[in-house]
Amino acid sequence: MPVPVGVSVRHFHITEEHWRKIFGNVEPKKKRGLLQPGFWAAEETVTITGPKGKIDRVRLVAPWRPKTQVEVSRSDAQHLGIDAPVKGSGKLAGAAPVTITGPAGSIDVNDALIVAQRHVHFSPADAQRMRVKDGDMLRVRCGGGGPRETVFESCLARISDQFALEVHLDTDEANAAWVKNGDLAYLV
């Protein structure tokens, strides 16, 4: 059963309170929808800063979140000089601190920066058809037939009626397997 690949480029999720501190009294503007229902990439970007460097143009993925979160690749974290842990989205206990700067100001956020654990989104119907349970750890083959075909271990299964079928890899992982958005991966 094929699963579309979604390459999760560095991005941030934010609380409305933090948004107001770094963007002021404006609303985020939608740039494009994402495959996951209800989520969209915004026009607005920020700069994230660590002890050794900064990265500009980190895009907002909306809507608001209960906690501010920044997702980067391991290469990004090294560039920033931050030892970011691998965590599931929203699981921010022990996440690394980071400074986020927008046009109206900066905030220092503890427990915000993570390397997102690779995962596969399933609707309940897709999960049932593929015999997967929420929290299962999966093996996913990417780049089939290509020069860098890779099997990724420990891909977390996430099931919700709010999800569409998609495997999320960060840019380091996608580059390792030579895959891009919309390519097909397979559970093995």
Side-chain angles (χ1 to χ4, degrees), residues 139-158:
R139 300 176 78 226
V140 179
R141 181 171 53 89
C142 297
R148 300 294 297 257
E149 183 174 357
T150 303
V151 174
F152 289 106
E153 305 284 344
S154 303
C155 296
L156 177 66
R158 299 183 61 204

Side-chain angles (χ1 to χ4, degrees), residues 14-31:
I14 196 164
T15 66
E16 185 173 4
E17 176 188 356
H18 282 164
W19 171 268
R20 300 285 173 227
K21 288 180 180 178
I22 63 173
F23 279 93
N25 195 26
V26 298
E27 297 302 315
K29 296 176 199 74
K30 185 174 182 176
K31 179 177 178 78

